Amino acid sequence: MSRTSKDTGLARRLSRRDILGVAAGAAAASIIGTASARADSGDRGQGHGTGHGHGHGKGRPVLPPGRLGIQLYSLRDQVSTLGFGPVFSELEKYGYDEIEFAGYTQGSAGPITLAQLKRLAKDHGLDPIGSHVGYYNDGDPGAYTFAQNLEKVLDDAQALGLKHIGTASGPFRYGATVDGWKRAAEDFNTYGAAARERGMKFYQHNHAEEFSFATDQPKVRLYDVLLAETDPDLVHLEMDIYWAYCAQFRFSTRVDGTPAPLDPLKYVLKHPDRYPLFHVKDGVRDDTTRDGYRMADVGDGDIDYRTFLSEVTGRTHRGRSYHHWQTEHDNPVDSLAFARKSGEHLHSLRSGRCGD
């Protein structure tokens, strides 16, 4: 990131995944034993507040079959210690269908090729659905980013059989002005066209700051510039639902105090085909914090995922076959327990429409 000096902390936070790289990672270690951290059934689906919507009981499952995924960044501690194989084995037990990469080594100690990594995923019934790669590093021409090494990034994604290849970096390469984001949109259109030539979709994953306002036109939301200036056939979006709700808390009022309503779900319902991927994170509402939420395991927070998934899968074009739902927690207390609990919770949610 190269926004301004006051944003250096944000830049470090947003680019954590980008430094993971693609160098060779660890081969699978021994199978996880009793350390798989299975919590007792009493911790399943414990929500806070009224908005969560457990949805147990009659009605159609709101999670489409074959669409439960996980962002492997959540499990980086286990991958770095045990290797991909044992972690994939646990995900298979938990009923996961898909994985999204955050680098192809994640600190593992030992060589593994992309072909071996692809085979490990297949052996455990996991479909590699996407991957996060850095947007740019203008100070290093050899950086593993879209801007510096587009063809290498796409070569690796193709070798893994990915259907989507994207970035979790914000479009702040040229600043936070409207023109700066138009330039970033041009970059994204270029990457999207190159990805489409190889049968993949390029996507951008948001944090809260994408929903802030342009520094030169403070009535204009930057995310709206991104939507307007990118080609919908070339540039797709992965909504991180937690960060979008944090943005709702932070950026529903402009700098001049005028209201600027922000509803993450409405963005998706208005542009359903632009959102093939979602990050399913949960948060406990806390108005004393900057973001308005404290991150939690899925099912332990206040974000109403029963409603969100029901609306997207029930009302949008191709909703039940097009969208992919990746659980995530940036810093889980117990990453394997997080993966298990989150999958159980999403599988338990019902639409509430009997006979559906």
Side-chain angles (χ1 to χ4, degrees):
M1 302 287 291
S2 61
R3 296 173 62 180
T4 65
S5 59
K6 68 180 181 180
D7 293 323
T8 54
L10 171 65
R12 287 193 295 269
R13 178 166 64 82
L14 298 189
S15 62
R16 288 180 300 177
R17 299 175 191 174
D18 303 338
I19 64 174
L20 294 173
V22 133
S30 59
I31 296 299
I32 298 172
T34 57
S36 60
R38 303 182 188 279
D40 63 44
S41 59
D43 66 3
R44 195 176 93 185
Q46 298 299 309
H48 301 267
T50 59
H52 202 283
H54 297 305
H56 300 285
K58 296 182 179 179
R60 182 180 66 186
V62 301
L63 180 70
R67 287 293 187 267
L68 177 62
I70 190 167
Q71 166 51 253
L72 292 174
Y73 183 74
S74 304
L75 296 164
R76 62 195 180 279
D77 62 326
Q78 298 295 332
V79 172
S80 65
T81 302
L82 300 163
F84 283 104
V87 171
F88 289 174
S89 179
E90 290 300 295
L91 294 177
E92 182 180 16
K93 294 176 188 176
Y94 302 160
Y96 279 87
D97 309 296
E98 300 173 338
I99 49 174
E100 182 184 31
F101 290 103
Y104 309 133
T105 64
Q106 299 198 246
S108 301
I112 186 170
T113 66
L114 295 178
Q116 290 169 331
L117 187 54
K118 181 181 179 181
R119 171 59 64 179
L120 274 177
K122 182 178 180 180
D123 288 347
H124 292 289
L126 298 169
D127 185 12
I129 194 67
S131 180
H132 286 185
V133 176
Y135 167 20
Y136 69 96
N137 182 342
D138 289 336
D140 179 6
Y144 189 79
T145 63
F146 283 96
Q148 276 69 44
N149 280 288
L150 175 61
E151 294 306 313
K152 173 61 175 171
V153 167
L154 297 180
D155 285 345
D156 291 341
Q158 199 164 22
L160 282 165
L162 301 183
K163 300 175 181 66
H164 308 84
I165 180 68
T167 184
S169 302
F172 291 99
R173 183 183 188 185
Y174 310 108
T177 65
V178 171
D179 284 344
W181 274 53
K182 286 182 178 180
R183 290 181 64 190
E186 291 177 6
D187 287 348
F188 285 6
N189 285 331
T190 297
Y191 310 152
R196 188 170 70 169
E197 288 181 0
R198 298 178 183 233
M200 294 179 284
K201 291 183 172 71
F202 170 81
Y203 64 96
Q204 194 268 341
H205 162 284
N206 66 274
H207 293 81
E209 287 72 21
E210 281 86 336
F211 293 91
S212 63
F213 301 97
T215 55
D216 60 334
Q217 298 184 44
K219 291 187 177 181
V220 176
R221 194 181 300 281
L222 289 171
Y223 196 75
D224 294 337
V225 177
L226 181 68
L227 278 168
E229 297 296 328
T230 51
D231 185 332
D233 292 328
L234 301 178
V235 177
H236 299 81
L237 301 159
E238 176 177 60
M239 178 174 281
D240 187 303
I241 300 167
Y242 170 85
W243 287 121
Y245 276 98
C246 291
Q248 182 185 62
F249 177 79
R250 294 175 59 188
F251 303 119
S252 286
T253 303
R254 299 184 184 91
V255 176
D256 64 3
T258 58
L262 168 59
D263 185 338
L265 178 58
K266 286 184 178 179
Y267 270 100
V268 179
L269 297 181
K270 186 176 180 180
H271 307 281
D273 286 348
R274 298 207 71 176
Y275 291 92
L277 305 174
F278 294 89
H279 274 189
V280 181
K281 289 179 183 168
D282 214 340
V284 176
R285 185 62 184 258
D286 184 351
D287 290 1
T288 68
T289 66
R290 183 197 67 168
D291 292 321
Y293 291 88
R294 290 180 285 106
M295 201 174 294
D297 291 354
V298 180
D300 287 350
D302 293 314
I303 297 177
D304 185 357
Y305 276 112
R306 182 178 69 85
T307 296
F308 199 102
L309 269 75
S310 293
E311 290 291 305
V312 173
T313 61
R315 288 179 50 188
T316 63
H317 174 58
R318 295 188 295 137
R320 293 187 65 78
S321 63
Y322 181 68
H323 301 104
H324 304 262
W325 307 88
Q326 318 294 309
T327 64
E328 188 185 35
H329 191 310
D330 288 359
N331 293 291
V333 173
D334 183 328
S335 60
L336 287 173
F338 155 77
R340 179 186 56 77
K341 289 169 55 182
S342 299
E344 286 180 351
H345 180 73
L346 292 179
H347 276 303
S348 77
L349 297 179
R350 297 293 184 271
S351 65
R353 296 190 292 272
C354 297
D356 228 356

